Amino acid sequence: MRAAPAPPRLSVPAVFRTSDILPQVEKALAGERLTFEDGVRLFQSEDVNALGWAANAVRERLHGNVAYYLKNRHINYTNICKYDCMFCSFYRKEGQEGAWLWSVDQVLEHVAPYKDKGLSEFHIVGGVHPTLPFSYYTDMLRALKREHPGVAIKAFTAIEIAYLAELTGKSLGDVLKELKAAGLDMVPGGGAEVFADRVRYKVCRDKADADRWFEVHETAHALGIPTNATMLYGHIETVEERVDHILRLRDLQDRTGGLKSYIPLAYHPDFNRLAKLGAPSGLDALRNVAVGRLLLDNVPHIKAYWIMLGVKVAQLALSWGANDIDGTVTWERIYHMAGAETPEGLTEERLREVIREAGREPVERDAFYNVAGSEGARGNPS
Amino acid sequence: MAKLLDRASEKAAAHERLDFDEGVALLTEGETHVLAALAHKRRLHLHPEPVVTYIVERNINYTNACVTYCRFCAFYRAPGDKEVYVLSHEQIGRKIEELLEVGGIQILLQGGHHPDLPLTWYEDMLRYIKERYPVNVHGFSAPEIEHIAKVEELPVETVIRRLREAGLGTIPGAGGEMLVDRVRRIIAPLKTTTEAWIDVHRTAHRVGMRSTATMMFGHAETLAERVEHMERVRQLQDETKGFTAFILWTFQPENTAMWRYSKLESHQYLRTAAVARLYLDNVRNLQASWVTQGARVAEISLRCGVNDMGSTMLEENVVSAAGTTYALDGPGIERSIRMCGFEPRRRNVYYEAVLS
Ligand code: SF4
Ligand code: SF4
């Protein structure tokens, strides 16, 4: 779904005609594909306002004034992990204080209060547990589907899925097929971090590498399972590595069309081994959203994940290229253990207010970006 | 409207003065990124150096007893309430010593409207501070001064002169909230009128003191009333040149009698800051409000007309009583400023550089 050329009346406002990124702004407006060099220029420019204007123009061309949110619940079933990513404040080792693992029954108990409350999605991610059997994962999916048949299940990052293949000795295709048969509807975008080998070697060398991440997503797409993609920015990556990351996603999308949304995630510094770096700036948050929107001309949705950007920055992001603010999440642990100061959930009413203050029209979606309650919502992803 | 908006944008870009209708058009209809860019352009026109200033300061709230009962306030306690306090000289002294230890040079000294403290009590407090500590006292908002004048049945000018002689340096813009009487009657019916607020600042400027102007928005006001507030400030500034800065912040409804109001986040904050930068062509400095907006939005505001990060705060009772708890120390502020491509510079109340 390459963006169509802009309607002719949209011209660059006078105040941006002297901008250092005018060539990129004009290209984006004309619906031309931006290059690697363009991406680097956009990240390096200080003119975050011109950048925001261009990303917003593209965003409005694709989605008008609508900003999506959904009703979802996070399930972080375990924080026990065999890996030791440098940026992670969430994981613990088995037996370590603060480690948890929920049985399938505990998972069900946890979400029981949300039965028949109009929930659209469970977002399920965990640490890569060293000893759980494959049946744990399929049992969990089956049990959730049985108890909550109307709720889409977006579960297990590529890292978890790659590990399940390793654990069972099965192919990625077989693992995904079995997960799908058990109830998996969608794969979340996590584990992408920054694709560049240099970065992965330094911050998360033991887990699945970039090629494997792509294999998981490509296989999922081939099986009709849509996925999201993230980038964890603001630690040791260079601007070039950011652009490389985004363009690899664009290539994947050209091949498969299976990505639903792109979600830039700001690195959160507290309580992990990269803490001395500090958090990236608010300007960087907007820049990442906007450059993502401009480079990923084939990915439909850009998400400003409020739980980790904070409500305020997420709200601004709705004018810097994002068209989705994610959900009324509760029980989010991953970023809160890294020092996120956001509340763990927002009421639907508040989320709608936040969207309206940004001058946008709040629209509830389901997990697959169908308008909630519309035909096709909560049905098969298409 | 479109014509008006175009004219407003052109005038803003040419650094010309905006009239009231143009200000309203920008705030109502202006495209957010264009507003931000125009405001940043104006900021660079006024402050070409890539520098963002801040001050190391501490809030001291000498009492929370107050008989004014503003509906937006989570800080005050009615006289007789168990939680009422009045700080002793020694308590104030200790707080100042803590500030001096981190290199601070100013206290923001404010309090509720205590029903019966005499003017001499305030004078004694100021003398106690000034005899011992090398700090500027930025203190007593216009409503406090008006209140003391009422308690003493003295003219405002006499109160200002006596406070100044006792050591008061500069006057904060607090109590400005929204300089529109329709709104003041709703949010703070017993508090200073617009005229009285203006009059205190005019008088202070006339006796040679500088002050700041603030605006608290995001409650009962309309967009046009925000511009009306800016207009009142601009008029007085034309007359006296006494304001050093304009500071705007969003109303924090938690724990106040106005908790039902829905809280503004950042979108309106940024737009209003940008319009303030463009409209207040005669006020040199525009402060970020990281206390209400957080560091991340304060950083973004540095590209939307803001040139000053305000102050570090060891303690901030008024906003934190209303549930906002952002914290930023000197190194944190400097890091924020650098990440946005500016050099941090410590300043005093007059926006002159000081050694850090
Ligand atoms: S990021 Fe994921 S894989 Fe890495 S340590 Fe944390 S939980 Fe484990
Ligand atoms: S804002 Fe000031 S005057 Fe109003 S109630 Fe609070 S302390 Fe009293």
Side-chain angles (χ1 to χ4, degrees), chain A residues 81-85 87-88 90-91 126-128 159 193 207:
Chain A
C81 188
K82 65 191 296 253
Y83 301 124
D84 303 273
C85 303
F87 50 78
C88 182
F90 166 77
Y91 79 99
V128 178
I159 307 301
E193 324 310 358
K207 72 184 187 188

Side-chain angles (χ1 to χ4, degrees), chain B residues 261-280:
Chain B
Y261 282 70
S262 93
K263 179 163 103 176
L264 286 188
E265 299 289 352
S266 51
H267 184 79
Q268 279 291 328
Y269 171 76
L270 220 58
R271 293 176 56 86
T272 309
V275 171
R277 179 60 291 165
L278 295 169
Y279 201 81
L280 292 169

Side-chain angles (χ1 to χ4, degrees), chain A residues 8-267:
Chain A
R9 61 181 177 77
L10 198 61
S11 61
V12 182
V15 69
F16 298 133
R17 281 194 208 120
T18 49
S19 174
D20 60 335
I21 54 169
L22 184 66
Q24 288 75 26
V25 169
E26 286 186 326
K27 254 170 118 171
L29 270 195
E32 273 176 57
R33 185 161 263 206
L34 300 181
T35 63
F36 182 88
E37 289 70 29
D38 289 329
V40 171
R41 287 293 298 279
L42 291 175
F43 268 120
Q44 282 171 342
S45 170
E46 301 216 314
D47 198 349
V48 73
N49 293 319
L51 174 64
W53 184 85
N56 191 53
V58 172
R59 174 242 192 268
E60 289 186 356
R61 186 197 300 159
L62 292 168
H63 303 288
N65 206 29
V66 164
Y68 292 110
Y69 69 96
L70 87 168
K71 294 199 193 94
N72 64 349
R73 289 292 174 266
H74 281 212
I75 302 176
N76 300 137
Y77 57 93
T78 184
N79 65 344
I80 297 169
C81 188
K82 65 191 296 253
Y83 301 124
D84 303 273
C85 303
M86 297 276 285
F87 50 78
C88 182
S89 317
F90 166 77
Y91 79 99
R92 298 287 183 275
K93 293 299 170 188
E94 229 169 344
Q96 194 185 342
E97 208 189 317
W100 74 77
L101 165 64
W102 291 349
S103 66
V104 170
D105 283 343
Q106 284 170 316
V107 169
L108 289 181
E109 251 169 64
H110 182 77
V111 296
Y114 305 111
K115 195 170 169 67
D116 304 322
K117 294 269 159 57
L119 210 61
S120 294
E121 178 191 274
F122 292 127
H123 173 85
I124 310 175
V125 296
V128 178
H129 195 283
T131 55
L132 283 172
F134 186 50
S135 59
Y136 170 87
Y137 301 86
T138 48
D139 287 350
M140 180 186 355
L141 296 176
R142 262 187 221 101
L144 284 167
K145 268 291 175 217
R146 188 181 65 232
E147 294 297 314
H148 304 267
V151 182
I153 300 180
K154 173 158 111 276
F156 312 132
T157 65
I159 307 301
E160 289 161 280
I161 292 168
Y163 170 72
L164 292 178
E166 199 182 302
L167 174 77
T168 55
K170 296 180 188 183
S171 70
L172 284 176
D174 287 344
V175 167
L176 278 161
K177 265 184 221 153
E178 285 182 47
L179 292 173
K180 190 181 183 194
L184 180 76
D185 294 303
M186 205 170 162
V187 170
E193 324 310 358
V194 171
F195 290 133
D197 286 341
R198 182 194 74 87
V199 176
R200 290 186 99 76
Y201 186 76
K202 286 199 169 139
V203 304
C204 57
R205 78 179 63 159
D206 297 328
K207 72 184 187 188
D209 64 9
D211 289 345
R212 196 71 175 150
W213 189 97
F214 278 100
E215 252 179 89
V216 171
H217 282 256
E218 197 150 0
T219 310
H221 297 170
L223 293 168
I225 304 169
T227 72
N228 292 336
T230 62
M231 174 169 77
L232 184 77
Y233 67 86
H235 42 95
I236 62 159
E237 84 287 358
T238 64
V239 161
E240 287 77 9
E241 285 161 345
R242 288 182 185 183
V243 176
D244 167 71
H245 182 102
I246 299 170
L247 292 189
R248 286 205 219 181
L249 292 172
R250 189 168 76 182
D251 288 346
L252 167 70
Q253 184 73 340
D254 277 344
R255 294 196 299 275
T256 67
L259 291 174
K260 285 284 180 187
S261 75
Y262 169 67
I263 311 149
L265 300 173
Y267 159 69

